[in-house]
Amino acid sequence: MIKKYDFLLPGTSRIGVLLIHGLTGTPAEMRGVARELNQAGHTVYAVQLAGHCGSVDDLIATRWQDWYQSVINGAQKLRQQVDHLVVGGLSMGAVLALKYASDFPVDSVLVYSATFRYDGWSIPPLSRFAAPWLLPLAGCFHLGRHRLFNEKEPYGIRNESLRRRIAKSMQEGDSGVAGLPGNPWPSLSQMMALSRNVRRALPQVTAPCLVLHAENDDIAHRRNALLVRDNVSGEVALTLLKNSYHMITIDNDRTELIALTLGFIQQQSEAKNNREPAALRLHTTLSTPA
């Protein structure tokens, strides 16, 4: 069942791409990338994570396992329509994509602005260093249930006109368009638990990974990208983008991101075809409708 803000774009190739948004985010942050991938022939499904695109209460009623189950359900839906699956995500969505790739076979992984820790330059030093022990403690004792770490300038966006539009949408309260205006403490605690789980699982990721990260990410320092590069078992193509902040799927470098993504998917598809036995490739070609 497609949720209100999910969207599925059927393609003509047998490659499917599952796109996953970030914490307090929305599938809309993946729409531009999804359209370009779809125009290249791929079937694209942008999933709405459990508890998202609603109220703060909706979000804090869910745990990271619920968010991950949304990814599993989305992948199952997409696998019914394609032969090859690519999983990708932005921010926490990238962490969820890596989690899925550590548990299930995938063709490749798109890792955009991976966020294991909120340690970018816009995060106050006190929050940066206190959060790792304060939030789990608050979660254990159910403290600060309705407290938020509010979003502040520059909202992960370097493009000033786009930043103004996103800020306006957040202030108007449409979480399905721009996400929530802040991160609830309980949800951040869940995000940290997810991060710990996936960090341990990174060596189990054997699929090739495209890792894209802003060089001057305001939310998650580029060391988050290096963590992926240095710990997954699959091949890694890493690029640091020069003219964006955290939201690289919609910011100034989105054209470069899309070009790198399309090239990576094509390269991995060609490499996979070259590794297949010739008889299997012939059978696949003959059995595919024109």
Side-chain angles (χ1 to χ4, degrees), residues 13-266:
S13 79
R14 299 303 299 170
I15 296 174
V17 184
L18 182 72
L19 295 177
I20 310 161
H21 64 80
L23 179 62
T24 74
T26 162
E29 63 200 32
M30 311 302 289
R31 189 173 295 277
V33 176
R35 286 174 175 164
E36 295 291 338
L37 293 174
N38 181 245
Q39 288 178 10
H42 308 314
T43 296
V44 184
Y45 183 29
V47 66
Q48 176 185 332
L49 298 176
H52 287 72
C53 302
S55 66
V56 170
D57 286 336
D58 292 332
L59 181 57
I60 64 178
T62 58
R63 305 177 69 228
W64 75 260
Q65 291 89 344
D66 301 311
W67 310 335
Y68 184 46
Q69 189 61 50
S70 298
V71 174
I72 294 173
N73 294 344
Q76 289 175 341
K77 178 181 179 64
L78 191 52
R79 285 186 190 275
Q80 295 172 4
Q81 305 182 39
V82 300
D83 297 325
H84 307 287
L85 180 65
V86 178
V87 294
L90 174 69
S91 192
M92 184 188 76
V95 178
L96 286 167
L98 289 162
K99 169 65 175 171
Y100 186 86
S102 74
D103 289 337
F104 300 94
V106 298
D107 284 71
S108 55
V109 190
L110 309 174
V111 184
Y112 302 145
S113 301
T115 305
F116 292 90
R117 292 189 63 184
Y118 291 93
D119 56 356
W121 55 263
S122 73
I123 306 299
L126 181 61
S127 298
R128 194 182 311 164
F129 294 110
W133 60 266
L134 174 62
L135 288 173
L137 187 65
C140 287
F141 292 98
H142 304 288
L143 302 175
R145 184 168 177 80
H146 291 280
R147 296 287 298 273
L148 299 177
F149 281 107
N150 289 316
E151 295 277 354
K152 296 180 179 179
E153 294 272 358
Y155 304 112
I157 302 170
R158 189 165 188 167
N159 184 293
E160 293 184 3
S161 62
L162 176 61
R163 186 193 308 161
R164 287 193 293 269
R165 294 199 300 272
I166 295 295
K168 182 174 184 292
S169 294
M170 285 193 298
Q171 292 163 4
E172 290 173 348
D174 191 348
S175 64
V177 173
L180 292 171
N183 292 301
W185 282 23
S187 301
L188 284 172
S189 179
Q190 289 297 312
M191 163 65 187
M192 294 178 67
L194 169 66
S195 172
R196 291 192 295 270
N197 179 286
V198 178
R199 287 183 67 156
R200 292 192 297 267
L202 284 177
Q204 300 170 33
V205 179
T206 59
C209 297
L210 174 66
V211 180
L212 302 180
H213 209 96
E215 187 171 62
N216 295 309
D217 193 314
D218 59 318
I219 303 295
H221 192 277
R222 58 183 176 272
R223 66 175 63 94
N224 287 268
L226 302 181
L227 176 71
V228 177
R229 182 199 65 184
D230 295 341
N231 288 276
V232 298
S233 298
E235 296 180 4
V236 174
L238 169 65
T239 297
L240 297 178
L241 303 173
K242 306 294 186 182
N243 197 29
S244 295
Y245 291 154
H246 187 65
M247 301 295 290
I248 57 176
T249 57
I250 60 175
D251 209 351
N252 292 327
D253 292 309
R254 61 189 179 277
T255 300
E256 183 179 359
L257 177 144
I258 290 166
L260 289 168
T261 299
L262 288 171
F264 180 77
I265 292 175
Q266 180 178 354

